[in-house]
């Protein structure tokens, strides 16, 4: 398994924006994240997904649809 890098290659960068939202009325202060949709299938990203245009993810999705 590869170790985490401290710097991104070739000066690449990214930002992540997070916002916590809550419901109103009967669910005041209940985070929407806690009321979310449950997945029927989960695909853990592979190195080939990250480096190869989601090859394994698309293969898994096609298998589910067939």
């Amino acid at each position: 398994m590869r170790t985490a890098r401290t710097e991104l290659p070739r000066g690449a960068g990214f930002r992540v924006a997070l916002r916590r939202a809550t419901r109103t009325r009967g669910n005041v202060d209940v985070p929407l994240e806690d009321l979310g949709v449950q997945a029927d299938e989960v695909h853990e990203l592979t190195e080939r997904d990250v480096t190869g245009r989601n090859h394994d993810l698309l293969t898994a999705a096609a298998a589910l649809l067939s």
Side-chain angles (χ1 to χ4, degrees):
M1 181 172 213
R2 294 183 180 188
T3 58
R5 292 180 172 218
T6 57
E7 295 181 19
L8 295 174
R10 297 183 218 151
F14 67 92
R15 291 187 235 178
V16 176
L18 300 173
R19 180 176 180 184
R20 189 168 181 98
T22 57
R23 297 214 177 231
T24 60
R25 297 186 183 163
N27 291 312
V28 172
D29 294 328
V30 176
L32 289 176
E33 293 88 345
D34 294 342
L35 301 173
V37 176
Q38 296 294 318
D40 293 329
E41 300 289 335
V42 176
H43 173 78
E44 298 292 334
L45 287 179
T46 65
E47 185 173 343
R48 285 181 6 145
D49 288 329
V50 174
T51 61
R53 297 185 174 190
N54 294 318
H55 177 78
D56 293 336
L57 174 62
L58 294 172
T59 300
L64 288 172
L65 294 173
S66 65

